[in-house]
């Protein structure tokens, strides 16, 4: 009996040492593939990936599809953009697979939203940054909207305003260009011009709305509202993330706000609790309008995306 | 928010979603009082927990295919119970281990199914914690139907169930097939979970099964009294929990379950202070081997 116990203890001790040794040695020594086999898997997931990659263009990984559409325009012909979070899935909720993490670690460059948006990817992205890897957090290069009572990093939905994209583009072009070994300044000028024109177009669409008051699924329209003169009067989940839960008190308050402002529309997105939204709508006589704020859907470009969001809002509030 | 004349009634009077949520939660409490009594008496809370997880892949698949979540839950529960009996019969593992295996397997399957979907309608959290504040009228009808079905089955099987709660052998010598009635009991737990997941969620329904009935076990002498106490406690927890969610901005389902656990604690305290009656039908809790 004693011999058994001793043997068991020794083997367990040896096993722990071996595991510890293995774990320590793996830190910091990563093979430097550049996408390659991962390419096809990630592309199969991503419906709006660019057509078959020419020859051997390096991969730029972007976390979510709307951001990817912008980056794609910037690196057209120079790199392939691969999106991690499948279009249509709630990015707040997304849990990466091992393949996703591998792709992130092996990419030529990673563009992330930051500000805690991609909750499931946070750990890997932070680690990449700690190792001085090629990662760019958009949120660190824009003027961030702070939430009134949130003691967090601020509102992460920065892509909802072309002005914020324009703000971060020069820094992105710099770092991305350096990582890819090319000069992106021509592309930068072209894309910035397009975005400025887009900004004017969206402003024109929104100017047609008399009083823009928005009731949303969660606090996702901050940047849009600030840019185009809308007021955010309430949300089903008063939080910048969809992973929070609705409370009876919150819903009752929202009902009062809707009635007080005579709001006719509640804009819902992926991640909004549908049943609760439906009840609020029924009890106040408002109608539910689906809004894609974090997915491209059928939009082929960032411009399409922003214009369709603006049109949807303008039409609903007519 | 204006403080109306009566903070205990007005949240419900002014909001239909509150009334529906209360009704939904009370219906769950009533079904759970019946099934939960036996879950507590026969030590089935682990199986109950397993079922609560086991239905998740069923619901996820059903929602993905556009089918009814309830149907998916029913299939999930059936597969779960089948897996448990298969593992425990074909191997030398105890039912405890087989339950553990089946339930983690099913839950993992549920997580994988939802993670592979490109645009999932709802998420794991919503399935497990429910959307009480959005409970639909059809879900309320489902629960009512479940209450009637479970209530009648328990009523008819009252005698064998009570005997089995004291001792399996006793039930056997009285001429009842323990295997049959044990399966029936598990089936009722399954129906309870399937009917209730839409409101309080598949995980919180376990709280509604165990906590009120546990309070009942502390104070009741007879099984029927225990059920009644469980029903009262469950209803009270529903009301207070919703009130807390309203006045303090808390998640509804979680508040209700937390209140029922707190009520249990207070009851246990009171029972300790004021002594405990002799319980001929409700025995001291001990491990059952199934």
């Amino acid at each position: 009996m004693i011999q058994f116990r001793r043997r068991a203890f020794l083997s367990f001790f040896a096993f722990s040492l071996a595991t510890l040794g293995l774990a320590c040695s793996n830190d910091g020594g990563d093979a430097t593939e550049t996408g390659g086999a991962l390419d096809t898997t990630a592309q199969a997931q991503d419906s709006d990936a660019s057509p078959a990659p020419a020859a051997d263009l390096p991969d730029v990984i972007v976390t979510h599809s709307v951001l990817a559409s912008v980056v794609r325009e910037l690196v057209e012909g120079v790199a392939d953009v691969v999106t991690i979070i499948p279009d249509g899935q709630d990015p707040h909720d997304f849990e990466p697979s091992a393949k996703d993490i591998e792709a992130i670690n092996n990419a030529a460059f990673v563009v992330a939203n930051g500000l805690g948006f991609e909750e499931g990817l946070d750990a890997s992205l932070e680690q990449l940054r700690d190792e001085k890897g090629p990662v760019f957090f958009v949120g660190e290069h824009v003027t961030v909207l702070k939430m009134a009572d949130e003691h967090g990093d601020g509102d992460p939905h920065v892509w909802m305003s072309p002005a914020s994209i324009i703000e971060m583009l020069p820094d992105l072009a710099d770092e991305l260009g350096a990582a890819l070994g090319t000069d992106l300044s021509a592309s930068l000028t072209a894309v910035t011009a397009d975005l400025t024109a887009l900004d004017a177009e969206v402003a024109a669409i929104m100017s047609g709305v008399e009083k823009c008051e928005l009731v949303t699924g969660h606090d996702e329209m901050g940047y849009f509202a600030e840019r185009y003169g809308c007021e955010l009067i309430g949300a089903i989940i008063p939080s910048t993330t969809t992973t929070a839960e609705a409370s009876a008190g919150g819903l009752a308050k929202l009902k009062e706000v809707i009635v007080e402002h005579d709001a006719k529309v509640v804009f819902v997105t992926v991640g909004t609790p549908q049943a609760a939204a439906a009840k609020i709508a029924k009890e106040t006589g408002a109608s539910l309008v689906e809004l894609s704020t974090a997915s491209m859907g059928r939009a082929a470009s960032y411009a399409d995306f922003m214009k369709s969001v603006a049109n949807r809002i303008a039409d609903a509030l007519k | 928010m204006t403080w109306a004349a009566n903070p205990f009634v007005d949240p419900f009077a002014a909001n239909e979603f509150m009334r529906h949520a209360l009704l939904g939660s009370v219906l769950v409490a009533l079904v759970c009082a019946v099934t939960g009594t036996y879950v507590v008496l026969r030590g089935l809370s682990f199986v109950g927990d397993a079922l609560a997880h086991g239905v998740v892949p069923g619901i996820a698949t059903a929602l993905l295919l556009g089918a009814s979540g309830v149907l998916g839950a029913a299939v999930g529960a059936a597969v779960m119970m089948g897996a448990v009996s298969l593992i425990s019969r074909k191997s030398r593992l105890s039912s405890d281990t087989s339950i553990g295996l089946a339930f983690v397997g099913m839950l993992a399957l549920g997580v994988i199914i939802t993670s592979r979907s490109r645009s999932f309608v709802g998420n794991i959290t919503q399935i497990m914690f429910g959307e009480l504040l959005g409970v639909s009228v059809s879900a309320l009808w489902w629960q009512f139907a479940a209450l009637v079905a479970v209530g009648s089955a328990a009523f008819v099987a009252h005698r064998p169930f009570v005997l089995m709660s004291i001792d399996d052998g006793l039930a056997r010598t009285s001429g009842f097939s323990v295997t049959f009635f044990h399966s029936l009991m598990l089936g009722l737990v399954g129906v309870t979970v399937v009917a209730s997941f839409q409101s309080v969620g598949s995980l919180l329904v376990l709280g509604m099964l165990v906590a009120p009935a546990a309070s009942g076990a502390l104070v009741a002498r007879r099984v029927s009294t225990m059920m009644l106490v469980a029903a009262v406690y469950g209803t009270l927890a529903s009301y207070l929990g919703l009130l807390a969610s309203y006045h303090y901005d808390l998640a509804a389902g979680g508040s209700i379950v937390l209140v029922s656990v707190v009520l249990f604690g207070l009851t246990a305290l009171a029972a300790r202070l004021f002594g405990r009656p002799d319980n001929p039908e409700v025995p001291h809790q001990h491990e059952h081997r199934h």
Side-chain angles (χ1 to χ4, degrees), chain A residues 45 89 247-248 255 279 283, chain B residues 15 17 20 117-118 135 249:
Chain A
Q45 273 182 340
Q89 255 200 43
S247 73
K255 263 184 64 185
K279 288 207 111 126
E283 287 181 49
Chain B
N15 298 289
F17 77 85
H20 283 185
S117 83
R118 286 164 57 71
V135 69
D249 245 342

Side-chain angles (χ1 to χ4, degrees), chain A residues 129-146:
Chain A
R129 185 224 293 273
D130 285 341
E131 293 169 359
K132 307 259 185 295
V135 60
F136 181 91
F137 289 92
V138 171
E140 290 170 1
H141 300 265
V142 297
T143 320
V144 176
L145 265 183
K146 291 287 182 191

Side-chain angles (χ1 to χ4, degrees), chain A residues 142-305:
Chain A
V142 297
T143 320
V144 176
L145 265 183
K146 291 287 182 191
M147 303 306 296
D149 45 326
E150 290 262 322
H151 53 295
D153 300 320
D155 186 346
H157 305 86
V158 298
W159 67 90
M160 291 305 294
S161 162
S164 303
I165 301 285
I166 293 174
E167 200 185 339
M168 68 93 182
L169 222 45
D171 286 343
L172 178 61
D174 263 350
E175 294 190 29
L176 189 45
L180 295 175
T182 54
D183 181 13
L184 291 172
S185 40
S187 189
L188 171 63
T189 319
V191 175
T192 308
D194 286 342
L195 289 174
T196 316
L198 173 63
D199 187 35
E201 272 184 79
V202 174
I205 297 174
M206 294 309 294
S207 66
V209 180
E210 234 181 76
K211 193 159 67 122
C212 185
E213 286 182 339
L214 303 175
V215 180
T216 53
H218 67 289
D219 289 335
E220 65 224 288
M221 299 293 289
Y223 292 87
F224 184 92
E226 216 228 354
R227 182 84 189 146
Y228 301 112
C230 293
E231 199 197 328
L232 297 175
I233 55 175
I236 306 256
I237 300 178
S239 163
T240 50
T241 170
T242 55
T243 55
E245 254 189 69
S247 73
L251 289 181
K253 267 181 234 161
L254 182 64
K255 263 184 64 185
E256 282 179 26
V257 162
I258 291 176
V259 168
E260 204 183 298
H261 288 255
D262 196 26
K264 295 277 183 283
V265 178
V266 174
F267 294 97
V268 294
T269 49
V270 162
T272 311
Q274 295 293 329
K279 288 207 111 126
I280 296 300
K282 180 162 164 275
E283 287 181 49
T284 54
S287 53
L288 293 181
V289 171
E290 280 205 27
L291 202 59
S292 266
T293 54
S295 66
M296 297 289 283
R298 276 176 299 173
S301 65
Y302 177 69
D304 272 356
F305 166 78

Side-chain angles (χ1 to χ4, degrees), chain B residues 39 43-54 99 186 189 193 202-203 205-206 209-210:
Chain B
V39 164
L44 296 176
S45 54
F46 190 41
V47 178
D49 185 25
L51 277 170
H53 290 89
I99 292 170
L186 286 181
V189 177
V193 172
S202 67
L203 202 55
V205 79
L206 183 70
L209 273 174
V210 177

